[in-house]
Amino acid sequence: FSFVEAMAAAAAKDQGAVEVPLDLIRLSLDEKVLVKLRGGRELRGRMHAFDQHLNMVLGDVEETITMYEVDEETYEEIVKTQKRRHQMLFVRGDGVILVSPPLRTVQQEEFILALKKK
């Protein structure tokens, strides 16, 4: 199984099939996700809410900012990263490039869905 097939199989079982891309995002609610943004920023945090524009509310967020500079003498590329932590963060959807749901096996997904039913 690929990740998408596993997510689709788990969703089809109890919550209806994955029919539109936002269904994969919906399945990631209350889960840790990776969000890549324009400008070399990455966010890793728990997704609390989202809308059709990919505006999101993330909690317990680690933000990684990657900056690239060129040394004027050697013309070598210098990569600098800066990390910050945020308790809660609103992310505007027009800056989102990618949202990566958590990687799980089919068994893990079935277990999580069973827990959410209780």
Side-chain angles (χ1 to χ4, degrees), residues 33 35 43 46-48 56-59 61 87-89 91:
V33 294
V35 180
L43 305 172
R46 187 165 306 279
M47 183 184 304
H48 292 287
M56 289 179 250
V57 176
L58 301 176
V61 181
Q87 191 173 25
M88 193 69 67
L89 199 61
V91 180

Side-chain angles (χ1 to χ4, degrees), residues 21-38:
L22 287 180
D23 287 346
L24 282 175
I25 304 298
R26 179 180 46 81
L27 291 172
S28 298
L29 279 172
D30 295 323
E31 303 286 342
K32 283 271 199 181
V33 294
L34 165 68
V35 180
K36 288 192 175 192
L37 302 170
R38 293 182 185 163

Side-chain angles (χ1 to χ4, degrees), residues 59-116:
D60 189 27
V61 181
E62 180 181 77
E63 176 184 22
T64 304
I65 304 166
T66 305
M67 297 165 280
Y68 300 92
E69 297 176 0
V70 176
D71 185 299
E72 293 180 16
E73 293 177 8
T74 63
Y75 297 104
E76 289 183 34
E77 186 176 66
I78 301 168
V79 179
K80 295 182 180 179
T81 60
Q82 177 184 1
K83 293 192 181 223
R84 298 190 292 189
R85 300 234 22 119
H86 305 279
Q87 191 173 25
M88 193 69 67
L89 199 61
F90 174 83
V91 180
R92 186 174 162 145
D94 65 348
V96 173
I97 296 171
L98 172 138
V99 179
S100 177
L103 295 176
R104 292 193 286 253
T105 65
V106 174
Q107 291 82 13
Q108 289 172 323
E109 184 63 31
E110 289 172 351
F111 177 74
I112 290 168
L113 286 173
L115 286 177
K116 286 184 178 180

